[in-house]
Amino acid sequence: MSSAVATEPRRQTGVAVEQVVRRFGDRVVLDHLDLTIADEELVILLGPSGCGKSTLLRLLAGLDRPDGGRVEVPARRAIVFQSDRLLPWQRVLRNVTLGLHGPDADQRARDVLAEVGLSGRAKAWPKELSGGEAQRVSLARALVSEPELVLLDEPFAALDAITRLRMHDLVRALRTRHHAAMLLVTHDVDEAIALADRIVVMSNGRIGTSHDVHLPAADREVSVAREELRARLLEDLGLASQH
Ligand SMILES: Nc1ncnc2c1ncn2[C@@H]1O[C@H](COP(=O)(O)OP(=O)(O)O)[C@@H](O)[C@H]1O
Ligand SMILES: [Mg+2]
């Protein structure tokens, strides 16, 4: 089977993963995995630790190549990790403009810093930021290049619960301004329900189940449908007996 990471020259914002295989030695981590993501869709990827979620994101980001199958992604992609990965010797503004070209780079960075609520922090050093602020800078850095696909690998896992809820509000606000597809990995079923258009659960190297989430915002917090979806996701994750 041929392997390919195709970057379409025409505008194509969706993602198509077909029969993708990734092995490390004898271990088959991705085993003929299929996944499509529509334009502007926010898909949450759930799965137990070590099942291959980061491996899939790295393939979509172009940081790794499949051993088989096809990965079709839009040209402009950005990835956000659990740790902020900011350059400690550059101020916030320079961390956001990193890799940007053109005379308007600074202004674009200031605009996106304002969107993430950090207008006043452009001159701060990374070590002066709280964990939540540092992740906001990471989001700003991801969005400043107007990506068509944003990959987020457990972006809020290291944050406290209240900060995490603020980040959820921010992701919702950013979605209305930036028209990117998003694939967000999390361990947190409640985070998944709060944010997703669709939740996919990985098992045995593939996407096992997929749940479209049509709940209106209020019902994502307290509703029977929400509890039913939560129970199904815990079952998909093999965690049902613990709850
Ligand atoms: N570069 C690599 N070399 C060898 N094994 C790897 C490499 N990257 C990931 N793996 C292995 O692949 C499996 C899936 O890893 P990963 O995608 O990081 O899981 P997840 O993000 O779901 O926790 C793990 O067993 C991990 O040890
Ligand atoms: Mg991972």
Side-chain angles (χ1 to χ4, degrees):
M1 192 177 285
S2 68
S3 11
V5 176
T7 304
E8 291 275 273
R10 69 195 154 77
R11 186 172 162 82
Q12 180 257 330
T13 55
V15 170
V17 175
E18 285 169 20
Q19 296 287 298
V20 158
V21 174
R22 184 71 176 105
R23 294 183 206 93
F24 297 109
D26 292 342
R27 185 165 148 66
V28 180
V29 173
L30 304 181
D31 186 8
H32 298 90
L33 181 142
D34 292 315
L35 175 68
T36 57
I37 303 174
D39 295 0
E40 300 186 30
E41 190 180 22
L42 197 168
V43 176
I44 302 271
L45 177 59
L46 283 175
S49 190
C51 76
K53 303 180 298 296
S54 296
T55 300
L56 176 61
L57 255 66
R58 288 173 54 77
L59 288 175
L60 292 172
L63 300 171
D64 187 21
R65 296 182 67 84
D67 295 306
R70 239 178 95 71
V71 176
E72 205 171 286
V73 286
R76 291 199 309 278
R77 288 156 290 165
I79 187 162
V80 176
F81 299 96
Q82 180 175 330
S83 61
D84 57 66
R85 304 203 181 186
L86 301 177
L87 300 177
W89 58 87
Q90 295 284 10
R91 294 177 194 269
V92 164
L93 186 74
R94 283 289 155 264
N95 265 287
V96 177
T97 57
L98 203 76
L100 272 192
H101 304 287
D104 62 343
D106 277 13
Q107 191 53 49
R108 284 165 61 196
R110 285 182 199 285
D111 290 347
V112 76
L113 280 170
E115 283 181 17
V116 301
L118 290 178
S119 297
R121 306 295 270 153
K123 288 186 178 157
W125 297 102
K127 67 172 191 300
E128 297 168 343
L129 304 174
S130 68
E133 285 176 327
Q135 275 311 61
R136 282 170 190 263
V137 177
S138 299
L139 279 175
R141 181 168 63 180
L143 292 169
V144 75
S145 53
E146 292 296 337
E148 295 146 299
L149 173 65
V150 185
L151 303 157
L152 304 113
D153 197 351
E154 305 195 38
F156 312 133
L159 304 178
D160 65 80
I162 301 288
T163 306
R164 203 176 311 143
L165 291 178
R166 291 211 179 96
M167 297 301 271
H168 294 170
D169 286 341
L170 179 61
V171 167
R172 288 191 204 96
L174 291 171
R175 283 199 71 196
T176 65
R177 284 190 219 123
H178 297 264
H179 300 280
M182 293 189 181
L183 179 62
L184 186 150
V185 171
T186 181
H187 278 111
D188 182 345
V189 168
D190 295 309
E191 180 161 282
I193 295 173
L195 292 175
D197 296 327
R198 182 158 56 102
I199 302 171
V200 296
V201 182
M202 244 181 115
S203 66
N204 301 320
R206 297 183 199 175
I207 302 302
T209 54
S210 174
H211 302 267
D212 289 313
V213 185
H214 297 298
L215 301 174
D219 287 353
R220 288 181 189 241
E221 282 157 37
V222 196
S223 69
V224 172
R226 181 204 185 284
E227 292 311 311
E228 285 172 352
L229 174 59
R230 191 172 193 280
R232 281 202 299 278
L233 291 167
L234 291 172
E235 197 173 298
D236 293 347
L237 290 164
L239 298 172
S241 58
Q242 293 173 20
H243 292 260

